[in-house]
Amino acid sequence: QVQLVESGGGSVQAGGSLRLSCTASGYTASTFCMGWFRQAPGKEREGVASIYSRGGRTYYADSVKGRFTISQDDAKNTMYLQVNSLKPEDTAMYYCVADPRVGICFGVVWNRAANYKHWGQGTQVTVSS
């Protein structure tokens, strides 16, 4: 059974940093497309970043490029999202996602929430100005 457990969220001031973690169980993370989505109150879910570690490919939303970095430690079956230079508009619940169809990690489809079969419970990030 696939399970995703996020951690690392919290409350920070603008300009601060956090490292979000997603520990996977029930499958080998390096064989899946994995990523992060976020959802702020009253807004739709937004793709933040995706990674397919075996292919060395990553994708980012324009709003986070240069500030967020997605990575994966295959030995620990854990994915990370380093979030720097946080802004109040980054405030949201952040979700870890995974899907065995690695093709969805690429091109213009990586940020479609409906493509991902497995979701974690989320970790809250709150940024104050």
Side-chain angles (χ1 to χ4, degrees), residues 42-106:
K43 295 188 177 181
E44 293 185 356
R45 286 186 177 180
E46 174 191 23
V48 176
S50 72
I51 184 169
Y52 175 52
S53 67
R54 286 194 175 182
R57 300 291 295 272
T58 58
Y59 287 85
Y60 295 92
D62 288 342
S63 59
V64 306
K65 281 181 182 177
R67 300 188 299 122
F68 291 10
T69 303
I70 191 170
S71 62
Q72 193 160 308
D73 185 334
D74 293 338
K76 296 182 178 179
N77 229 33
T78 299
M79 177 179 64
Y80 304 98
L81 186 69
Q82 179 68 40
V83 297
N84 298 328
S85 302
L86 282 163
K87 305 174 182 180
E89 52 264 42
D90 294 318
T91 295
M93 185 71 77
Y94 284 70
Y95 297 93
C96 170
V97 299
D99 194 278
R101 299 169 297 168
V102 297
I104 67 171
C105 256
F106 308 121

Side-chain angles (χ1 to χ4, degrees), residues 5 7 11-14 30 34-35 41 58 65 67 71 77 79 82-83 87 92 98 100 104 111 114 121 127-128:
V5 179
S7 62
S11 297
V12 298
Q13 290 190 329
S30 63
M34 297 191 69
T58 58
K65 281 181 182 177
R67 300 188 299 122
S71 62
N77 229 33
M79 177 179 64
Q82 179 68 40
V83 297
K87 305 174 182 180
I104 67 171
N111 59 353
Q121 82 288 351
V127 185
S128 58

Side-chain angles (χ1 to χ4, degrees), residues 109-123:
V109 298
W110 71 269
N111 59 353
R112 296 180 183 173
N115 283 344
Y116 294 87
K117 180 178 180 180
H118 305 289
W119 290 71
Q121 82 288 351
T123 187

